[in-house]
Amino acid sequence: MNAPATFNAPPPALIVISGGAPASTSHERAARAAAPALQKLLAALQPADRVLELGCGLGELAQAYKARHGECHWVGVSSHPVQPGQMHASVNQTLSVDLHANSILHIGASFDLIIVNRLEHLPNAARTLAELGELLTPGGKLFVLAENHACLSAMAHLIEADPSTGIAALPDDPLGMDKAHPRFQSHSTIFKLLLDAGWTPSLADHVPEQGVDDKLAAAVRYMGDALGVPPGCADRVHRMKHFIIGCQRQFDDAVAPSSRALFDVVVPTTKEQQLRVNVEQSPGLQEVQARIISYRHAATPAEALTQSLQHVGSDWVLLCHQDVYFPKGFGQRLNALLSTISAEDRPKTLLGFIGMGVNRQTEQPEAAGFVIDRVNCADHAESDAVVSIDELALVIAKDSLHQIDPHIGWHLWATDLCLTSICTHRVFPRIVRMPLFHNTQSGWQLPESFYDSAEYILQKHSSFSTIHSLCGVIDQGFVARHRSTKP
């Protein structure tokens, strides 16, 4: 029998782990302030007059912030009692709040900048994040520092069957127990949580994982291959130890409530787990009781839609990828929009959520729509002159005159719909702006099949010398350059 594989270990060393006299408060504060995650967070924060920090520790962030940005009124909130003399003078007001039982709204003040310092330790996170929006001044911003429990070192703990953090759980210290055994969180869980609380998050920065054994990284990539996850995902997502996330309030406008969805949802499905944790769990679909139709093993998107239409009972179809998550408020917003479209206009209507439109003033193509993925935030205006739609989600009528080409693959078929709509039906598609999370595992790399689809639509729409898409300008040179670099 072969010997089991072992990871590389550092040279022998003698280290004193614990015990003895406790470190002074000033020494502990200095050590915390020097942490890479806090330094990254500090660099991302903009100047503000009134700041609220949840998870204020010993005031190390306040002290460092005021050294950079001058005086401001800083309110620190801790979920455990703070001893006299512990907090640095930079914190103007320190509050001890049991967020498990109490609302943060009792503070009764407004702030230009709100910081959640270590989201994994925030009690009652869903409610508290939603309430923070009421404490933010217009134009203010929320920043979140969060640990990635899907990083390589955390996966090593899972493989060892002990996902403990390594933080000591001190006796009679509930906060210490929470830190030792936090809830599991990753890019996806954090972004979904923030979106459902009314925030639009964007990854401002991150702290990379350090000192990961090459064998562990190779093993994770091997497991990713087995699950069909492209290597780009493992090379980027799993190598982030901490996230710095900037958030804004952008979808707070009132929408009239509606009881039932005016649309059914059709999902071509190849991975059941992706369907379960994204589309099926979407509060933006549940809030209007939208019917979800999953079509398995489709050869093309045309087949998935055609075969599903017989089960569609609504006038509209939301056709989407299995990895799209629709946050709270999405269904109400889509219902409100669809209710304004007349029966006469319905068959020729084609709606997308992200893509390329033509600026009517400059007559130049530009990105349009809104979507967030694990790494990127696309935040653009709407467009009523669209030339390309990303396939992650679109809306057509059940009796639509738009038909997906059965000869095209899984890429660029929505762009093909746009070009056909313009040339054949003389109708411009639209891109609307609604909160969406694309929980992509693509690795942010174009597969070979994308270039096959690009070549196909160039031949089909020969009157277009160039086709503008989110992935770049598609022309003969685009395809030829890729073909020439293939091994």
Side-chain angles (χ1 to χ4, degrees), residues 302 402-409 411-421 423-425 452-465 467 474 476:
H402 305 288
Q403 302 294 320
I404 301 176
D405 187 337
H407 299 101
I408 201 168
H411 304 278
L412 295 171
W413 56 265
T415 296
D416 175 67
L417 280 181
C418 289
L419 300 178
T420 302
S421 176
C423 296
T424 303
H425 307 303
D452 294 337
S453 296
E455 197 165 31
Y456 177 82
I457 65 171
L458 282 171
Q459 294 173 356
K460 179 177 179 180
H461 302 282
S462 57
S463 60
F464 288 85
S465 58
I467 298 171
I474 298 173
Q476 294 297 338

Side-chain angles (χ1 to χ4, degrees), residues 50-119:
R50 292 184 56 83
V51 183
L52 173 66
E53 180 190 10
L54 276 64
C56 58
L58 299 175
E60 57 275 4
L61 181 60
Q63 182 182 10
Y65 181 89
K66 288 190 174 184
R68 290 191 177 195
H69 299 298
E71 290 299 318
C72 69
H73 186 81
W74 191 288
V75 177
V77 174
S78 175
S79 56
H80 68 291
V82 179
Q83 300 301 321
Q86 269 193 321
M87 193 61 58
H88 193 270
S90 294
V91 180
N92 301 88
Q93 185 180 4
T94 306
L95 304 174
S96 178
V97 181
D98 181 5
L99 293 175
H100 286 290
N102 300 311
S103 167
I104 194 68
L105 293 178
H106 83 281
I107 291 178
S110 58
F111 301 90
D112 311 306
L113 176 63
I114 300 177
I115 304 161
V116 175
N117 197 341
R118 303 305 292 267
L119 177 64

Side-chain angles (χ1 to χ4, degrees), residues 19-63:
S24 66
T25 300
S26 60
H27 179 81
E28 185 178 354
R29 185 182 296 115
R32 292 184 181 188
L38 189 136
Q39 290 296 313
K40 291 270 190 178
L41 173 61
L42 180 64
L45 301 178
Q46 73 263 28
D49 293 328
R50 292 184 56 83
V51 183
L52 173 66
E53 180 190 10
L54 276 64
C56 58
L58 299 175
E60 57 275 4
L61 181 60
Q63 182 182 10

Side-chain angles (χ1 to χ4, degrees), residues 285-325:
L285 300 180
Q286 295 174 9
E287 67 191 11
V288 292
Q289 304 176 56
R291 188 182 191 192
I292 301 173
I293 302 166
S294 172
Y295 188 86
R296 271 74 165 177
H297 312 301
T300 64
E303 177 190 334
L305 179 59
T306 301
Q307 296 299 320
S308 298
L309 282 178
Q310 59 185 310
H311 304 287
V312 171
S314 301
D315 291 332
W316 297 95
V317 177
L318 171 60
L319 180 61
C320 68
H321 285 182
Q322 62 198 3
D323 58 3
V324 177
Y325 181 83

Side-chain angles (χ1 to χ4, degrees), residues 346-428:
R346 189 172 61 218
K348 56 187 177 183
T349 298
L350 178 61
L351 302 176
F353 300 96
I354 188 71
M356 298 293 294
V358 176
N359 185 309
R360 291 190 180 272
Q361 279 70 47
T362 65
E363 297 186 349
Q364 296 298 310
E366 61 183 20
F370 180 92
V371 69
I372 293 172
D373 68 21
R374 300 182 184 186
V375 174
N376 305 297
C377 175
D379 188 356
H380 311 286
E382 297 185 347
S383 175
D384 60 358
V386 172
V387 295
S388 175
I389 291 177
D390 191 283
E391 292 80 17
L392 66 92
L394 56 80
V395 177
I396 62 173
K398 182 179 180 180
D399 58 349
S400 177
L401 54 80
H402 305 288
Q403 302 294 320
I404 301 176
D405 187 337
H407 299 101
I408 201 168
W410 289 98
H411 304 278
L412 295 171
W413 56 265
T415 296
D416 175 67
L417 280 181
C418 289
L419 300 178
T420 302
S421 176
I422 295 167
C423 296
T424 303
H425 307 303
R426 305 299 180 185
V427 175
F428 263 124

